[in-house]
Amino acid sequence: MFRFFATVLALTLELAATSSSRANDTAAETALGGLALKQSDSISMDSEDLYISPERVRVKYRFTNITDEVVETVVAFPLPDIPPYSEENKTYWANPVDLKFRTTIDRKPVSFDIVQQAIFKGKDVTARLQTLKVRLNYRDPAFEAALNEAPQAERKKLITEGLLKDEGVGGQHSYEPQWSLRTIVTRRQTFPPKTTVSVEHEYAPLAGGSLAGYLSASQRKTSEFKEKQRKYCIDRDWLASFDRHAGKTEAGDAYGEIWLGYVLTTGANWKGPIGEFRLVVDKGKADRLVSFCADGVKKISDTQFEVRQKNFTPRKDLEILIVEWLRSADK
């Protein structure tokens, strides 16, 4: 029994270490307090071709400067916020250290910067933490040591303000950060007048995942299941497929979840709607299940699902759920 669950946990951690994604290019500016996304009335997004899988994200854009002037701006590509600390989040969210990020403009590689921010209750508290030399990323191996070097009075203030929880007992401290970590890839780009340029990004996505969840039949009256059903647009047919797959596995309904996300709404920051939008979601293995909210989804292979839209204005971000069936190593 122990060997089985150890195998399941190892597989789930492997899934989580290779999943989730986010982002859509958007204009930005460096404002007081950090990076701010902004609207552009000079640049149109003519097309976006987006491929998302647990292992890789690729996106190709065509932008046109519709004006007679050269436009130089900061372009931002936001990745998913890593949620506040909990035992689950600590285990199942990847560390945004090595994204293997690559950007090309008209097929030529370009340099970029990575900006990180701490977000607490919708506010940027980066400067507050940096003043104390506290690492923004609680997954950083040096996080705990840096926090303990901050003056005790300042740590108490962070607890009072809600930025930290102290779950320690018996005089031992165990701090849990309560801010989200926001990671944004930025570059400075020049758009020549009346010219179309191609931009491509490719990277290993950030990750979210869990061992099981609230999808089993016995959990479907819970608020957690209803929230998941809403978030990923899970319907009756999908649940029936889930139940059929669960009944075929050696371990019953033992499964792992992979959570993928992508910020689509910043695509609306350019001039007008996205001319042509194409999305391909690849679940990676034929026996996995996938669910996400989108209109006009078409299955194009055993693992891939396609969405095409013209003059597309994204109103919400993309959230994708993939279910991986976990099997015992013992026959």
Side-chain angles (χ1 to χ4, degrees):
M1 183 67 70
F2 174 80
R3 190 175 354 161
F4 164 65
F5 281 106
T7 302
V8 169
L9 180 60
L11 177 54
T12 305
L13 291 175
E14 180 181 352
L15 295 177
T18 57
S19 356
S20 197
S21 49
R22 262 184 213 264
N24 231 348
D25 264 358
T26 186
E29 62 185 357
T30 302
L32 184 65
L35 190 72
L37 307 184
K38 66 176 184 178
Q39 184 81 29
S40 173
D41 294 324
S42 303
I43 312 296
S44 65
M45 187 187 292
D46 303 334
S47 67
E48 177 178 359
D49 191 336
L50 172 61
Y51 170 88
I52 299 179
S53 78
E55 290 76 30
R56 212 71 195 145
V57 174
R58 293 189 296 271
V59 59
K60 301 177 182 179
Y61 304 103
R62 285 189 297 113
F63 295 103
T64 297
N65 179 357
I66 64 174
T67 73
D68 295 321
E69 305 292 333
V70 173
V71 175
E72 184 174 332
T73 187
V74 175
V75 179
F77 190 82
L79 295 169
D81 288 1
I82 302 300
Y85 180 98
S86 72
E87 284 302 320
E88 178 179 343
N89 291 338
K90 179 182 178 182
T91 304
Y92 295 122
W93 285 91
N95 192 352
V97 173
D98 185 9
L99 301 171
K100 298 181 174 62
F101 204 94
R102 182 174 181 269
T103 296
T104 63
I105 299 177
D106 291 334
R107 299 185 178 182
K108 296 179 181 179
V110 297
S111 59
F112 52 83
D113 296 309
I114 294 181
V115 177
Q116 291 191 323
Q117 297 169 298
I119 307 298
F120 178 68
K121 295 183 178 181
K123 296 182 178 180
D124 186 345
V125 294
T126 304
R128 172 88 172 85
L129 297 173
Q130 287 179 333
T131 299
L132 301 175
K133 298 182 179 179
V134 173
R135 304 294 177 93
L136 304 182
N137 179 10
Y138 66 74
R139 300 297 304 277
D140 189 321
F143 173 82
E144 187 173 354
L147 179 61
N148 287 329
E149 288 178 3
Q152 183 178 3
E154 295 296 335
R155 291 201 302 271
K156 287 183 177 180
K157 286 182 181 179
L158 293 177
I159 293 172
T160 300
E161 294 168 12
L163 286 163
L164 286 178
K165 285 184 179 180
D166 187 356
E167 298 295 337
V169 294
Q172 298 296 317
H173 297 289
S174 177
Y175 297 114
E176 297 185 357
Q178 296 304 295
W179 61 83
S180 298
L181 177 68
R182 181 166 297 169
T183 303
I184 305 173
V185 182
T186 71
R187 68 184 186 277
R188 181 163 292 278
Q189 184 168 342
T190 299
F191 295 90
K194 300 293 185 181
T195 300
T196 298
V197 298
S198 298
V199 176
E200 298 185 22
H201 301 304
E202 184 172 351
Y203 62 99
L206 293 177
S210 70
L211 178 62
Y214 296 90
L215 298 173
S216 302
S218 62
Q219 300 290 318
R220 291 178 190 165
K221 292 184 179 181
T222 64
S223 60
E224 290 87 354
F225 167 76
K226 292 177 181 178
E227 170 59 23
K228 188 166 290 190
Q229 188 177 35
R230 181 202 62 77
K231 183 176 183 178
Y232 298 111
C233 290
I234 296 172
D235 59 22
R236 291 183 179 180
D237 290 341
W238 193 93
L239 290 174
S241 183
F242 178 96
D243 292 339
R244 286 195 301 272
H245 278 78
K248 293 177 182 179
T249 62
E250 302 168 25
D253 63 356
Y255 63 93
E257 296 181 10
I258 304 171
W259 310 323
L260 300 172
Y262 196 90
V263 177
L264 286 174
T265 50
T266 52
N269 286 354
W270 302 96
K271 177 70 173 178
I274 302 171
E276 295 183 4
F277 174 79
R278 179 176 184 255
L279 165 68
V280 172
V281 174
D282 191 338
K283 61 183 180 178
K285 296 180 182 179
D287 68 342
R288 289 175 175 172
L289 298 180
V290 62
S291 189
F292 57 96
C293 301
D295 295 326
V297 180
K298 179 182 178 181
K299 187 174 183 178
I300 59 175
S301 77
D302 287 344
T303 65
Q304 295 185 354
F305 298 81
E306 181 187 61
V307 175
R308 288 181 179 268
Q309 300 284 347
K310 288 185 178 293
N311 297 320
F312 176 55
T313 300
R315 303 297 184 188
K316 59 182 179 180
D317 296 328
L318 182 64
E319 301 285 355
I320 302 167
L321 170 68
I322 297 175
V323 168
E324 169 84 299
W325 301 102
L326 307 179
R327 297 176 174 85
S328 172
D330 299 321
K331 297 293 185 180

